[in-house]
């Protein structure tokens, strides 16, 4: 390598590092301090997010996590896994190359010589005395370029994915778009320069993503005098400027003036003014946006004449100093109010609220999950499925028969990927669904597609809900299962869950260090709610109201969590197969895993009874397909 090439190599290395950092920032947030950059580092475990969680954990659960066996949220594969795959791939390749080199003492000497030489790179360099460093240097440069190319390619994919998906749906973002038209800034060709067609040399081009004080997602009526609005709020802007919404107002249909004009004139006698209360989930894992549920309450009934009207939120894009303006967030049509069954009867007994569905899911497992729960709920359920990019054609074909029967509503939240939030806007999905389910179902349920609900007989879901009719919410135990340790296969068509027979110890609340499994702010539990009584929730519990609920322990009613089961990762399943006859029920396997075949039995029953269940009948599915195709053409 000659002296001209060295600065080039330095530049390439520099760019690689910068791109590397950009890449991590884009995919998983700012680099964390414990992330060593050395090539000798062993690849990180899958649960990278988990390490930032300031939560105390059950020691067993923690060690399971450390072993990559389970993770509360790693079913949301994608973001961290993709980037980690990329990272470990690159590291592995780097190591492999280094190791190959290291087998030859000569080349390893060249390597250290090269590195030493590189330290002096600012002084005009020389080839190694014997010229033998060149081969290694070229190799190194080539590898660097290769990696750089791959990082760039990956960045482009990220960019493409963000742009394509964001364009698919129209999230009604009320706050001004940050696109600045070409014409507003920069040079133009033509007059004076005599250089028609020359390229733009200056002008504003925006990169990265700006923050928005409020990203509106949905708005619902809550009662005759209340509304609820769900959206994202920038954590940084909120910290700096305060709440982005200050009040709300209702303008009846038929008003001669717009809200703006009325407020300008100061005569607001035809506008009803309401009070806003903002609830934040406050769980962001360091991302930019929190979820806000904005409750707007009026003194008197609103729109009670059923002539329709509009709800406005009084919003600011920055601070109060810069002013608030009314933004229309909901329009009620004449008579729409009359169609709401505030007191029931409700169309469904149950509503299931999915988390954002993303990454690549295994259709077989999704179907098993649906069949199991459908029979548990006796079919009296409506599913709200949140598509964050994971409902591909295979998953859609599983859903189709149920969509055709009006049992599944798919809600597109793909566009929320533009905004960095806790697990692809999981709290947005939960809180939107809570509002959607309000006058549709008696109870709403919130858990993931790798989690299976189970109740200790003779109780069943309808009996425990009937017994706790007055409860505002119900919290269930959460039991972590191994999907590494399994029982032997009995038949080829059995379900994945039928082979799972080992769980961690029952979580208890009394002992120190085990609080994470209890109800309360630290509890990693799952819940169901009367959606007319609860207005805000997180993944693990209700936030508003926090009280008036019923708590069941894991031996009564529980969510069985087979972490990541629905994802395409069969290779990690059932690698340690146990003959159940040889496992003593009263002794934990490895001191951790307790034998329990109750879920295996339950799912076997569900599989057998599903053979007479026609809701997944594929002829319905093809009817639906042809109907849809007709509708489209
Ligand atoms: C990104 O999108 C462009 C235009 O649609 C396409 O040409 C390109 O191949 C895409 N790049 C990647 C890495 O997917
Ligand atoms: C710039 O040049 C192109 C090509 O010559 C021409 O079509 C266009 O009208 C010019 N634009 C302006 C603003 O003059
Ligand atoms: C305010 O507007 C209402 C109609 O919207 C009108 O009846 C009333 O006279 C106005 N009051 C004033 C002080 O202008
Ligand atoms: C969320 O954070 C805000 C601001 O720090 C605080 O006022 C509010 O009480 C918190 N809400 C909950 C539910 O913890
Ligand atoms: C909006 O809120 C600001 C600040 O609280 C208040 O001064 C203004 O009157 C409100 N405007 C409307 C239209 O409610
Ligand atoms: C307002 O009410 C009238 C009469 O009921 C109705 O025809 C019209 O569609 C309504 N307008 C809107 C925007 O809802
Ligand atoms: C649930 O339990 C109740 C009370 O034991 C019983 O009457 C009912 O039939 C059961 N329902 C189902 C679906 O098994
Ligand atoms: C669970 O609750 C039941 C009924 O309240 C109680 O009998 C049982 O001991 C509890 N189990 C555990 C593990 O706490
Ligand atoms: C689908 O349902 C129809 C009628 O319910 C039945 O005739 C048909 O055999 C079913 N097909 C399958 C594949 O189960």
């Amino acid at each position: 390598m000659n002296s001209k090439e060295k600065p080039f190599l330095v530049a390439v290395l520099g760019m690689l590092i910068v791109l590397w950092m950009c890449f991590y920032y884009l995919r998983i947030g700012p680099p964390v301090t414990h992330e060593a950059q050395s090539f000798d580092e062993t690849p990180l475990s899958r649960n990278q997010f988990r390490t930032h969680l300031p939560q105390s954990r059950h020691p067993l659960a923690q060690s399971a996590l450390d072993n990559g066996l389970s993770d509360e949220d790693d079913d949301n594969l994608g973001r961290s896994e993709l980037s980690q795959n990329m990272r470990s791939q690159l590291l592995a390749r780097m190591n492999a190359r280094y190791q190959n080199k290291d087998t030859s003492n000569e080349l390893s000497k060249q390597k250290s010589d090269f590195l030493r030489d590189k330290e002096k790179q600012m002084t005009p360099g020389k080839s190694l005395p014997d010229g033998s460093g060149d081969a290694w240097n070229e190799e190194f440069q080539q590898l660097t370029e290769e990696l750089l190319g791959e990082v760039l390619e990956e960045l482009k994919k990220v960019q493409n994915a963000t742009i394509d998906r964001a364009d698919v749906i129209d999230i009604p973002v009320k706050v001004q778009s940050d696109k600045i038209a070409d014409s507003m800034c920069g040079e133009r060709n033509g007059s004076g320069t005599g250089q028609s067609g020359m390229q733009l040399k200056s002008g504003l081009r925006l990169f990265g993503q700006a923050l928005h004080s409020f990203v509106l997602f949905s708005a619902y009526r809550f009662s005759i005098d209340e509304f609820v609005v769900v959206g994202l709020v920038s954590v940084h802007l909120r910290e700096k400027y305060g709440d982005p919404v200050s009040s709300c107002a209702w303008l009846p249909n038929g008003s001669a003036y717009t809200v703006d004009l009325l407020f300008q004139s100061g005569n607001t006698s035809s506008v009803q003014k309401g009070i806003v209360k903002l609830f934040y989930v406050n769980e962001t894992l360091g991302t930019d946006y929190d979820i806000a549920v904005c409750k707007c309450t009026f003194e008197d009934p609103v729109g009670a004449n059923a002539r329709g009207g509009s709800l406005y939120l009084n919003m600011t894009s920055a601070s109060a100093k810069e002013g608030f303006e009314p933004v229309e967030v909901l329009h009620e049509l004449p008579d729409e109010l009359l169609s709401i069954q505030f007191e029931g009867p409700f169309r469904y007994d149950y509503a299931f609220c999915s988390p954002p569905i993303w990454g690549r899911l295994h259709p077989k497992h999704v179907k098993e999950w649906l069949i199991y729960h459908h029979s548990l709920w006796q079919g009296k359920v409506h599913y709200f499925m949140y598509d964050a990019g994971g409902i591909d054609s295979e998953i859609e074909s599983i859903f189709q028969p149920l969509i055709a029967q009006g049992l599944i509503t798919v809600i597109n939240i793909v566009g929320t990927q533009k905004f960095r939030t806790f697990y692809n806007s999981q709290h947005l999905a939960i809180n939107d669904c809570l509002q959607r389910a309000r006058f549709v179902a008696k109870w709403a349920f919130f858990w993931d597609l790798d989690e299976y609900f189970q109740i200790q007989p003779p109780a069943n879901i309808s009996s425990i809900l009937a017994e706790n009719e007055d409860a505002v919410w119900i919290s269930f135990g959460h039991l972590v299962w191994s999907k590494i340790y399994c029982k032997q296969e009995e038949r080829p068509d059995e379900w994945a869950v039928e082979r799972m027979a080992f769980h961690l110890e029952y979580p208890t609340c009394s002992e120190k260090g085990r609080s994470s499994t209890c109800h309360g702010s630290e509890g990693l539990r799952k819940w169901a709610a009367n959606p007319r009584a609860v207005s805000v929730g997180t993944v693990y519990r209700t936030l508003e109201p926090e009280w008036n609920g019923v708590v069941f322990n894991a031996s009564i009613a529980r969510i069985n969590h087979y972490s990541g089961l629905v994802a395409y990762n069969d290779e990690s399943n059932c690698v340690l197969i146990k003959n159940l006859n040889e496992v003593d029920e009263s002794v934990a396997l490895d001191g951790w895993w307790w034998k329990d075949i109750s879920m295996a039995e339950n799912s076997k029953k569900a599989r057998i009874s599903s053979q007479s269940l026609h809701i997944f009948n594929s002829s319905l599915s093809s009817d639906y397909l042809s109907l849809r195709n007709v509708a489209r053409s």
Side-chain angles (χ1 to χ4, degrees):
M1 179 182 293
N2 65 33
S3 56
K4 276 185 194 149
E5 281 166 353
K6 278 191 180 145
F8 170 72
L9 176 58
V10 173
V12 167
L13 273 171
M15 270 172 77
L16 178 62
I17 288 163
V18 168
L19 280 164
W20 189 274
M21 285 161 66
C22 292
F23 175 66
Y24 269 87
Y25 201 91
L26 258 172
R27 302 305 291 275
I28 58 168
V32 281
T33 44
H34 63 254
E35 231 183 70
Q37 295 294 331
S38 132
F39 288 145
D40 298 321
E41 175 194 26
T42 50
L44 291 169
S45 85
R46 303 171 60 204
N47 306 308
Q48 186 165 18
F49 268 114
R50 183 58 61 194
T51 57
H52 313 269
L53 268 178
Q55 274 167 350
S56 66
R57 276 187 160 269
H58 188 297
L60 292 184
Q62 187 57 56
S63 39
L65 285 184
D66 296 342
N67 285 287
L69 297 187
S70 70
D71 179 5
E72 175 55 27
D73 291 295
D74 75 352
D75 31 60
N76 289 312
L77 293 171
R79 194 203 294 254
S80 58
E81 184 160 275
L82 258 179
S83 52
Q84 279 170 34
N85 275 348
M86 174 83 184
R87 179 193 179 83
S88 35
Q89 246 182 44
L90 294 183
L91 291 182
R93 188 127 33 110
M94 213 59 172
N95 277 330
R97 294 249 179 154
Y98 277 10
Q99 269 154 23
N100 286 343
K101 301 302 166 204
D102 286 346
T103 55
S104 141
N105 283 338
E106 178 53 29
L107 279 173
S108 122
K109 177 181 165 294
Q110 289 167 13
K111 170 182 152 192
S112 56
D113 287 349
F114 166 71
L115 291 175
R116 179 165 33 77
D117 197 37
K118 194 161 74 67
E119 280 172 12
K120 300 186 227 145
Q121 59 206 205
M122 297 317 290
T123 60
K126 306 179 199 106
S127 280
L128 293 179
D130 56 358
S132 65
D134 289 355
W136 197 89
N137 292 347
E138 269 167 32
E139 179 85 22
F140 187 82
Q141 184 176 342
Q142 186 200 338
L143 180 60
T144 308
E145 281 170 19
E146 243 173 59
L147 290 177
L148 181 62
E150 285 178 31
V151 171
L152 275 171
E153 189 62 19
E154 190 68 15
L155 274 172
K156 274 190 218 145
K157 277 189 202 145
V158 174
Q159 186 77 358
N160 273 12
T162 317
I163 292 169
D164 291 354
R165 290 175 164 180
D167 289 342
V168 171
I169 73 157
D170 175 29
I171 306 184
V173 182
K174 290 290 181 185
V175 175
Q176 289 308 301
S177 145
D178 51 8
K179 279 190 191 129
I180 296 177
D182 278 354
S183 60
M184 286 171 65
C185 240
E187 299 164 38
R188 293 185 199 202
N189 56 350
S191 60
T193 66
Q195 291 181 334
S196 82
M198 78 176 191
Q199 285 192 320
L200 274 182
K201 288 200 174 126
S202 64
L204 299 181
R205 295 171 67 199
L206 309 184
F207 298 94
Q209 272 149 19
L211 293 171
H212 301 276
S213 56
F214 192 78
V215 181
L216 173 68
F217 183 67
S218 55
Y220 303 87
R221 200 180 248 280
F222 190 99
S223 69
I224 190 72
D225 55 7
E226 286 167 301
F227 292 84
V228 183
V229 180
V230 180
L232 310 176
V233 167
S234 154
V235 176
H236 315 293
L237 296 178
R238 175 181 96 197
E239 273 167 10
K240 193 158 161 53
Y241 298 120
D243 293 339
V245 181
S246 70
S247 58
C248 57
W250 175 265
L251 185 69
N253 174 13
S255 167
Y257 302 99
T258 63
V259 155
D260 303 71
L261 276 176
L262 288 170
F263 275 91
Q264 272 166 28
S265 75
N267 180 352
T268 56
S269 59
S270 58
V271 179
Q272 252 175 293
K273 289 190 203 165
I275 298 165
V276 149
K277 182 157 187 208
L278 276 166
F279 297 94
Y280 298 114
V281 169
N282 285 352
E283 180 119 42
T284 60
L285 282 184
T287 56
D288 297 329
Y289 288 91
D290 193 4
I291 306 307
V293 174
C294 175
K295 200 159 183 179
C296 167
T297 308
F298 293 88
E299 232 167 65
D300 301 310
V302 170
N305 57 12
R307 275 196 226 130
S310 291
L311 178 73
Y312 288 82
L313 287 189
N314 186 5
M315 279 197 229
T316 178
S317 56
S319 63
K321 271 203 309 254
E322 285 163 48
F324 282 77
E325 56 176 305
V327 174
E328 187 180 1
V329 295
L330 175 143
H331 180 78
E332 204 166 71
L333 293 171
D335 292 342
E336 205 177 329
L337 180 68
L338 303 177
S339 67
I340 302 176
Q341 304 269 20
F342 287 102
E343 308 290 336
F346 306 109
R347 203 160 152 209
Y348 298 96
D349 283 357
Y350 315 114
F352 171 77
C353 296
S354 87
I357 297 174
W358 59 302
R360 187 151 179 247
L361 301 192
H362 205 301
K364 180 175 178 288
H365 294 166
V366 171
K367 186 168 180 177
E368 290 166 7
W369 185 97
L370 269 173
I371 294 176
Y372 175 85
H373 287 92
H374 207 73
S375 60
L376 195 82
W377 282 312
Q378 302 280 301
K380 299 175 210 158
V381 57
H382 189 88
Y383 303 91
F384 292 102
M385 298 293 194
Y386 284 78
D387 182 10
I391 301 188
D392 57 17
S393 57
E394 281 184 293
I395 302 293
E396 205 192 334
S397 71
I398 303 292
F399 287 176
Q400 265 159 14
L402 294 182
I403 293 174
Q405 293 164 78
L407 295 179
I408 289 187
T409 301
V410 176
I411 298 119
N412 187 341
I413 57 164
V414 174
T416 59
Q417 290 186 355
K418 266 174 95 168
F419 311 100
R420 289 182 67 236
T421 55
F422 177 97
Y423 286 108
N424 278 354
S425 295
Q426 188 162 9
H427 289 125
L428 182 83
I430 287 170
N431 286 292
D432 177 71
C433 191
L434 190 57
Q435 321 304 329
R436 262 175 216 275
R438 182 154 295 128
F439 306 117
V440 172
K442 281 191 218 161
W443 290 92
F445 296 83
F446 305 84
W447 56 77
D448 294 355
L449 300 182
D450 61 354
E451 294 175 330
Y452 281 64
F453 188 65
Q454 187 187 11
I455 293 187
Q456 185 64 38
N460 58 46
I461 211 156
S462 64
S463 71
I464 66 161
L465 293 176
E467 275 163 32
N468 294 285
E469 223 174 17
D470 298 331
V472 163
W473 49 257
I474 290 180
S475 165
F476 308 115
H478 175 193
L479 196 58
V480 175
W481 289 68
S482 174
K483 61 188 179 90
I484 307 287
Y485 273 116
C486 291
K487 73 188 185 86
Q488 59 278 35
E489 191 174 49
E490 278 167 23
R491 40 185 304 141
D493 66 340
E494 71 189 353
W495 290 357
V497 186
E498 286 182 64
R499 296 186 64 195
M500 307 210 174
F502 299 94
H503 61 67
L504 284 182
E505 173 165 78
Y506 278 123
T508 54
C509 296
S510 51
E511 290 167 53
K512 204 163 179 260
R514 296 187 172 192
S515 62
S516 68
T517 51
C518 302
H519 191 74
S521 58
E522 292 287 290
L524 299 181
R525 301 188 118 241
K526 293 289 160 121
W527 52 288
N530 169 348
R532 290 161 302 289
V534 169
S535 32
V536 190
T538 76
V539 175
Y540 309 116
R541 64 199 179 101
T542 57
L543 286 182
E544 173 61 27
E546 280 195 83
W547 315 114
N548 304 325
V550 172
V551 178
F552 287 112
N553 67 29
S555 46
I556 305 290
R558 67 187 179 211
I559 290 300
N560 295 307
H561 190 178
Y562 308 96
S563 183
L565 177 74
V566 282
Y568 259 103
N569 57 355
D570 291 288
E571 74 279 3
S572 68
N573 290 347
C574 293
V575 288
L576 300 170
I577 294 162
K578 285 283 162 189
N579 181 343
L580 287 189
N581 299 328
E582 290 166 9
V583 181
D584 183 348
E585 217 144 72
S586 59
V587 181
L589 199 64
D590 290 351
W592 284 15
W593 302 106
W594 299 83
K595 178 170 128 183
D596 179 347
I597 56 161
S598 60
M599 255 316 281
E601 298 283 318
N602 282 357
S603 50
K604 183 174 174 181
K605 271 186 225 145
R607 171 173 55 75
I608 293 166
S609 69
S610 75
Q611 285 157 4
S612 57
L613 202 69
H614 285 295
I615 55 151
F616 294 98
N617 187 312
S618 57
S619 72
L620 267 172
S621 174
S622 48
D623 282 353
Y624 166 74
L625 267 180
S626 54
L627 271 178
R628 198 180 64 163
N629 290 340
V630 168
R632 277 186 182 171
S633 59

